[in-house]
Amino acid sequence: MLIYFANLAYFLTLLAFITRDILHLRSLLVCAQIIVVIYTWKSGVHVISAWNLVFVCINAYMVVKILRERRAVTLPADLQALYERHFAALSPPEFLRWWRQGQRDTLPSGERLARAGEHPAWLFFILGGNVRVSRNHANVFELPAGYFVAEMSLLTGDVANADVVALDSVDVVRWPTNALQELRQRNPSLWTKIQSVIGHDLVEKLQRGEKRG
């Protein structure tokens, strides 16, 4: 009978390793390790039983944490439309948490958001106003609210290839690029979703440039 417990535990562990959802992975590991605890305890291997009990506690804690992060979140009314239009690749809790890490600011006319040949210190999202994107002093296009600025350098690690200047008073949310690089290492799954949001923004910019041309 005990051999069936061992096989079931290994089967659940196998399922955990091939699942792509972190909540499913943690949950399957909890189940598998509980079975290992029972199996090894009954077999008299108490050291392995004790260690797996520790693993059960760790993974159970992570399951609770993930469930709390994924619980329903009501977005503020002023962010609901913005989220649906630009950030739907993120879950509402992910969006709200990341959005609140940004700094709200108002930049005066003529303020430079990015300079060609330099690494931008910030990733900007324009909430209001307009900016001009230019290369070699030639106007490329203008961007209104609803676009990122300095996102290409963030993705590639290269210096900015264009100058971006505020044409009027511009309301923005901005995130330090060094903090975003840390996020990329610390939370790859969230970073992948943010990349998807930025990628969609880049496609819209390319389409905007083609229409202008």
Side-chain angles (χ1 to χ4, degrees):
M1 182 65 179
L2 289 179
I3 193 64
Y4 293 110
F5 272 95
N7 283 310
L8 179 58
Y10 280 118
F11 178 70
L12 292 175
T13 302
L14 173 63
L15 290 180
F17 288 156
I18 63 177
T19 187
R20 300 181 63 181
D21 184 88
I22 188 64
L23 176 59
H24 294 161
L25 184 149
R26 295 283 187 179
S27 300
L28 287 167
L29 286 178
V30 168
C31 295
Q33 287 157 351
I34 287 175
I35 294 172
V36 172
V37 168
I38 296 171
Y39 171 73
T40 53
W41 185 267
K42 288 184 176 293
S43 300
V45 191
H46 296 161
V47 172
I48 296 177
S49 180
W51 274 109
N52 276 274
L53 185 58
V54 172
F55 299 151
V56 167
C57 293
I58 293 172
N59 282 304
Y61 167 78
M62 295 303 298
V63 166
V64 172
K65 183 179 178 182
I66 293 168
L67 287 173
R68 285 180 177 176
E69 291 175 348
R70 292 188 180 183
R71 66 186 175 184
V73 170
T74 302
L75 295 175
D78 60 326
L79 291 181
Q80 184 66 47
L82 185 73
Y83 166 74
E84 293 176 353
R85 171 67 178 83
H86 300 285
F87 298 94
L90 303 171
S91 68
E94 289 171 334
F95 164 69
L96 200 57
R97 189 165 59 253
W98 183 56
W99 186 260
R100 287 173 174 170
Q101 290 173 2
Q103 302 177 28
R104 294 286 294 265
D105 203 355
T106 299
L107 308 179
S109 176
E111 180 84 4
R112 191 177 297 273
L113 286 74
R115 185 187 299 272
E118 297 181 0
H119 289 282
W122 301 88
L123 170 69
F124 297 89
F125 184 81
I126 306 172
L127 294 173
N130 298 272
V131 301
R132 181 181 64 243
V133 181
S134 59
R135 294 192 184 98
N136 300 321
H137 306 290
N139 186 33
V140 178
F141 53 77
E142 295 178 5
L143 290 177
Y147 287 95
F148 285 100
V149 172
E151 74 291 342
M152 183 62 76
S153 294
L154 178 65
L155 294 178
T156 64
D158 294 332
V159 296
N161 61 4
D163 294 299
V164 183
V165 178
L167 290 175
D168 45 32
S169 180
V170 177
D171 294 323
V172 299
V173 173
R174 57 182 181 174
W175 298 264
T177 52
N178 58 353
L180 292 173
Q181 294 292 356
E182 291 175 5
L183 174 64
R184 174 187 249 164
Q185 300 298 323
R186 187 177 69 254
N187 194 337
S189 60
L190 176 58
W191 178 251
T192 298
K193 295 180 181 181
I194 293 172
Q195 278 185 306
S196 175
V197 169
I198 294 174
H200 182 74
D201 178 85
L202 284 170
V203 169
E204 289 196 357
K205 283 179 184 173
L206 288 173
Q207 293 174 342
R208 187 180 185 86
E210 289 172 358
K211 288 179 181 179
R212 183 180 180 279

